Amino acid sequence: MYDTDKRKLLSALSHGAIFFSTTFVSVGIPIAILLVSDDPVVKENAKESINFHFNVWFYGGILAALFFLFGWLVLPLLLLGPLAGIGYLLHWGLTIWAITHVFSNPDTPFRYPYIFRFL
């Protein structure tokens, strides 16, 4: 039997690491938790968090490339701004949802909807 409080803390820390920064530090925490923990639920939450980080970086890179390529045009700029805002809200909203889920249901790993899973 695994410690429920430890499971909640490590799972929430995996998902909440994005609040520390959006650089490699934020993905380093779930990677460290994945390597250190022996709890299968914590490992699944850490993997899901890593996958979510990679998706955020991937879609952010696409938006940045589109802005770089077409940002000098007025029409694409009007489209990219709302897309970036929606992405920002989804990013933070899904992270808060994940943290809430691991505290309310610690025995079930959280799965982000509509992301590509690399791990």
Side-chain angles (χ1 to χ4, degrees):
M1 186 74 180
Y2 295 98
D3 183 13
T4 304
D5 291 333
K6 184 178 177 182
R7 177 179 277 177
K8 287 180 184 179
L9 177 67
L10 291 176
S11 294
L13 189 58
S14 291
H15 291 290
I18 197 72
F19 288 122
F20 298 127
S21 75
T22 55
T23 61
F24 295 108
V25 173
S26 65
V27 78
I29 292 171
I31 289 172
I33 290 172
L34 177 65
L35 295 175
V36 171
S37 179
D38 61 344
D39 186 332
V41 174
V42 171
K43 285 183 166 291
E44 284 302 312
N45 277 312
K47 285 180 190 177
E48 191 70 4
S49 176
I50 293 165
N51 284 324
F52 184 65
H53 280 79
F54 288 155
N55 276 263
V56 167
W57 292 342
F58 178 72
Y59 292 122
I62 288 174
L63 279 174
L66 288 172
F67 182 75
F68 179 75
L69 292 173
F70 302 111
W72 54 275
L73 296 173
V74 175
L75 184 60
L77 187 60
L78 292 175
L79 295 175
L80 292 176
L83 282 177
I86 290 169
Y88 182 79
L89 289 175
L90 279 172
H91 173 233
W92 294 109
L94 289 172
T95 302
I96 291 168
W97 182 23
I99 293 169
T100 304
H101 178 271
V102 299
F103 278 122
S104 64
N105 194 0
D107 296 329
T108 306
F110 181 78
R111 300 282 286 181
Y112 289 98
Y114 309 115
I115 66 168
F116 296 108
R117 288 177 175 81
F118 303 103
L119 296 175

